[in-house]
Amino acid sequence: MLSLLIFIPLIGSLGVVLLPASMKSRYKWITLICCSLELLLCGAAYSAFDPTQSGYQLLERADWITLPLGSLGVVSIDYLVGVDGISLPLVLLSGVVMLVGAVSSWKIDARQKAYHALYLLLTSTVIGCFVALDFFLFFLFFEFMLLPMYFLIGLWGGPRREYASIKFFLYTLAGSVLILLVMIGLYLSVMDPVETALRVGLIQDRSEATDEVIRQVQFLLSEYKIPSNLLVHTFDLRHMAKGGNYLPDSFLSVAGEVMLMGIPSRLLAFLCVFLGFAVKLPVVPLHTWLPDAHVEAPTPVSVVLAGVLLKIGGYGFLRIGWGLFPDGAAEYALLLAGLGVLSIVYGGFNALAQVDLKKMIAYSSVSHMGFVLLGIASLTSEGINGAVYQMASHGVLSAMLFLITGVIYDRTHDRRIDHYRGLAGAMPGYTALTAIAFFASLGLPGFSGFIGELFTLMGSFQSIWLPGWMTAVATLGIILAAAYFLWTLQRMFFGTLWFRPEAAGQLTDLDGRERLMLVPLAVLALLLGIFPNLLFDLTNSTVADWIQRFSIE
Amino acid sequence: MLPIILLSVFGIVLLFLGFLKTRAVLLPAALLFILIALGAGFLEWNKSYLYFGDMLLINNLAILFSTIVLISAFMVVALSGDFLEDEMAQPAEYYAILLFSIVGAMMMIGYENLIMLFVGVEILSVSMYILTGSDKRNLRSNEAALKYFLMGSFATGFMLFGMALLYGAVGSFTLTDIKSYILLSHGRPSLLLYMGELLVLIGMLFKVSAAPFHFWTPDVYEGAPTLFTAFMSTVVKTAGFAALLQLLSVSFSAIYGFWWVILAAITALTLLAGNLTAVYQNSFKRMMAYSSISHAGYLLIGLAALGQQSRSALVFYSLAYSLATISAFGILLLVAKQHTTDGRPDESYSAFNGLSRNNPLLAFVLAVSMLSLAGIPLTAGFWGKFMLFSAAVDRGMVWILILAVLMSAVGIYYYFRVVIAMYFREGQAGRIRVAPFYQFILIAATALTIILGIVPGLFQNIM
């Protein structure tokens, strides 16, 4: 089922490429159908998922690459996908946001073939990122997400698109280089106990691998009894999360005696992974690509970028940073939470200062994603549940907010806040939905944003790693959010109707397509706000289990 | 051994074919000859023979390296259709010299005796001097040839001096004799040996354009006719690294502690010099010259971290690099012909502007080859880097690994400039007509790059 999620858009993308140009009008239908199928499949995955279990579910596995490397043993890379309570909400979110993005892409006229092929490719890689359980596979999707995104911004973007796209590309790339370094280090340090048992001859078949056998292999490993050419190195994230599979004396061994520049290599590796994903989240001061990319990107790409792509940063923190290096996470909890708070406050103040509506929303994203980092860094069950919740909630809300800027930009090609006043008179429906989105984003109880922020703040307040003043400072973010959203609402929508003469006659209210995108998102935000258990039920047991065995053993 | 004899004979045959009125027969003949040599090489697969008074060793490793050389040469010759139409060109001579130079490359790959190495290097180098200057009416080409010749002979001098010193220490030119001398010297080999090794290394590092012996590369690459630049940057590099691998792994592995530091320093320097300078280039061809320096740096990692894994990593990397480089130069050849400034082909980045509009296939081929050179996953180049980096980590050279990974990030920047030009910029490039066979070669190279990127194990199984 999860493989279908990855391959349907991929096949759709190929289909768009292969279809002759005379069938130009069909491209957007292919995108729409693929994305609708995706959402249906997400629903199926949701119903097949058993939320009371904490492990990975819906696993699918196939051997992919097995490279013998002489004295280094064997490298094994699997095609391995599966979901747990942390990744499933994000998969569902991607399903929703990608479909909204597909509807929003309806208006793209230039180079439709390339656009829709790239959009579908992006869909496939985004989903792939969330379901991949093999580090190499994950990294592949992570890297290949860059290419379509780079082209989508660079070809269909605004006037400074070239600058924005290369900046986006280089920032993320620099991050992924750090992740690559850690990936190489990890695969050299981790063995696959089952495959190694096969090679050593303890078992004849994979199905014979019981816990007993695995323990035996791990014992042999710790006693240096397995010759290095029989070791099977793996990228499997499940094996990487278990300390017993780390080679003694290896680069990232659990004992942590290997030092680099006077810092234990494991801590350094954690920092590398953190920096890599921090670019994506983004964390201040690595966020400067985000406003540029958002301002230049076309509306659907902004929706996807804010709605889903930023979440890969948070997901990477949980799955790889915190999941594989809990020692690092605990060591640097204070620093990380500090960066989270900095993002919240700095993003908020910057949003307050913007005159471009889209840039304002981009900075509000920085601020809201700061809560995610704060929640994760708190290392409490509330904090991490809240962080996942905040990611899902922000995905829905930021998609809405960027669609809202898209609406005004489509009509007048002008997004400056001070170029409009009293829009409520001309566009009542638009104003209503904008107000809902703004209130939901600033954390009004009853909407999803409130729950996410509340739980991350609760988590950070309870955390034994963080001082109380940090949470206090972070709450400033909520006040700032209220300030910039309400002020914008007041400036643009209230008062007597006024706009620049060029915009005359263009300010029509929402059409059916725009309603179709915005209303379901608003309903979703409300639904999540009133019934937070819809998501918490999914995440809770995974997170609880995760917190309980929060160590690499 | 058979391919070497065959190619020498074929070269002479080609010269005589040049007397024929029609030039059309030359290209297919040259291709056929290379194919025959390729097939003949595999007759000795899984057998290990010493030839020519124990001076030449043909084993599987040598055959693999020779295969890469022959494949590169085949592609280069296949892309050379233009010569047949050019009045000034003398294709029979070019092809003959190319075949002779392959003989030299194969001797460098399979040598067992330093004399053989020297003869091989000389055959290859002299051929390259001639081919560099083959565009006789172009001042740049002449300058490049002279520069290459002067610097190259100097380097050869170093190498010869080194060999003499080695002979002084060991009393033999044979690689295995050097090895046993070192083993029998109880850790105190003569100083001459160290000096000799260093000088030979310097000579060879010059040939593969490692820093700080790389200054000739950009000028020579830029001045030489593009096709021969492609040949130079692939065949010479592959042969050079095969020779270095042979020298270091057979003779000097016992004094690894002495030379690895030097080689690691040169590796770091090469990576830095190649990648950082490439960023500032405005000409695609010059960028490719610096990129070839940087790839010499990556390949050097495999030598500095010499181990069991180095062989397969070096073979794989050479193959990936050759495929990508030749297809890149193949596209450059086509594109530069379309835009001429002052009668010279335009080889700057801007020549590629808007290529994707009317020539999506060419743009795609070049994009894949750039991705492979940059080491993006799912291309052969990624796995090449992956294997070399693993070798480095296995030796505990984490610093080299970090530097190399950072430098490959820098690499992505300048390789993507071409991609940006092709896809984002507006250009007036019309549809470029490409001969079917030319197109086939480009597609085959691209397909191989992608296949090796998705299933690298395919190749590993052969090793």
Side-chain angles (χ1 to χ4, degrees), chain B residues 118 121-122 125 129 147-163 198-209 213 216:
Chain B
F118 181 72
V121 167
E122 279 300 271
S125 303
Y129 302 150
K147 202 171 219 171
Y148 193 17
F149 172 67
L150 286 179
M151 307 266 269
S153 351
F154 220 68
T156 319
F158 271 108
M159 189 159 69
L160 206 56
F161 188 31
M163 286 177 186
L198 269 187
L199 288 173
V200 173
L201 274 184
I202 289 174
M204 288 308 298
L205 289 172
F206 173 88
K207 299 288 171 199
V208 299
S209 61
F213 316 109
W216 58 276

Side-chain angles (χ1 to χ4, degrees), chain B residues 291-307:
Chain B
S291 125
S292 100
I293 297 173
S294 75
H295 286 282
Y298 296 119
L299 283 159
L300 275 172
I301 294 176
L303 293 177
L306 190 71

Side-chain angles (χ1 to χ4, degrees), chain A residues 255-309:
Chain A
E257 65 277 351
V258 183
M259 308 284 267
L260 268 182
M261 299 187 298
I263 307 174
S265 58
R266 276 184 71 82
L267 293 186
L268 212 58
F270 171 77
L271 286 180
C272 282
V273 172
F274 172 76
L275 281 178
F277 288 115
V279 172
K280 201 95 198 173
L281 190 62
V283 175
V284 176
L286 303 170
H287 66 289
T288 55
W289 62 271
L290 185 80
D292 285 321
H294 268 311
V295 168
E296 300 308 321
T299 306
V301 177
S302 273
V303 167
V304 173
L305 180 61
V308 190
L309 256 69

Side-chain angles (χ1 to χ4, degrees), chain A residues 64-65 67-72 77 111 136 140 144 147 150-151 155 162 166 169 173 177 181 187-188 251, chain B residues 308-309 357 377-378 382-383 386 390 393-394 398-399 405 409 412-413 416 420 423-425 454 456-457 460:
Chain A
W64 181 21
I65 295 171
L67 271 184
L69 290 180
S71 65
L72 275 178
I77 298 172
R111 311 192 204 188
F136 187 83
L140 202 68
F144 266 72
L147 289 178
Y150 171 64
F151 285 113
L155 283 177
E162 227 171 77
I166 195 77
F169 191 82
L173 188 92
V177 162
L181 275 175
Y187 105 87
L188 284 167
F251 186 52
Chain B
Q308 255 195 327
Q309 215 199 330
R357 272 289 164 102
L378 290 191
F382 172 80
W383 289 106
F386 181 85
S390 303
V393 176
D394 195 32
V398 180
W399 279 111
V405 170
I412 292 175
Y413 173 76
F416 262 72
I420 294 173
Y423 286 94
F424 291 176
R425 298 267 157 79
I454 296 175
Q460 285 281 336

